[in-house]
């Protein structure tokens, strides 16, 4: 589940993170997509990813919904 911090981001930044996340998990199975790779491709820090979603699993589940 996305946190309030993510939900309060500007729409364009949220959309960029969502679209890039879908792209990443389309190219790489969940188990092969590292948080380092995800944050590098998203252009955000690992701390931001965890602040927005709590974990890689939560980010993945958010994208599936």
């Amino acid at each position: 589940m996305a946190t309030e911090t993510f939900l309060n981001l500007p729409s364009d930044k949220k959309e960029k993170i969502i679209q890039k996340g879908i792209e990443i998990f389309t190219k790489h199975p969940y188990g092969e997509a590292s948080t380092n790779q995800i944050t590098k491709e998203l252009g955000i820090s690992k701390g931001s990813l965890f602040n927005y979603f709590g974990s890689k699993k939560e980010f993945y589940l958010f994208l599936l919904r």
Side-chain angles (χ1 to χ4, degrees):
M1 167 113 2
T3 65
E4 285 293 319
T5 304
F6 177 76
L7 298 175
N8 289 328
L9 289 174
S11 295
D12 59 326
K13 186 164 185 168
K14 284 191 289 195
E15 189 62 29
K16 178 186 173 201
I17 290 170
I18 291 167
Q19 291 304 316
K20 195 65 167 169
I22 291 169
E23 181 182 318
I24 292 165
F25 287 115
T26 300
K27 289 191 290 184
H28 308 283
Y30 174 81
E32 293 178 15
S34 72
T35 54
N36 288 335
Q37 175 189 20
I38 292 167
T39 55
K40 181 179 177 184
E41 290 194 37
L42 289 176
I44 62 173
S45 70
K46 196 183 284 191
S48 291
L49 177 68
F50 294 129
N51 194 28
Y52 296 157
F53 299 99
S55 67
K56 177 177 100 170
K57 181 179 179 180
E58 288 297 322
F59 180 45
Y60 181 76
L61 292 175
F62 173 81
L63 295 173
L64 286 177
R65 291 183 194 126

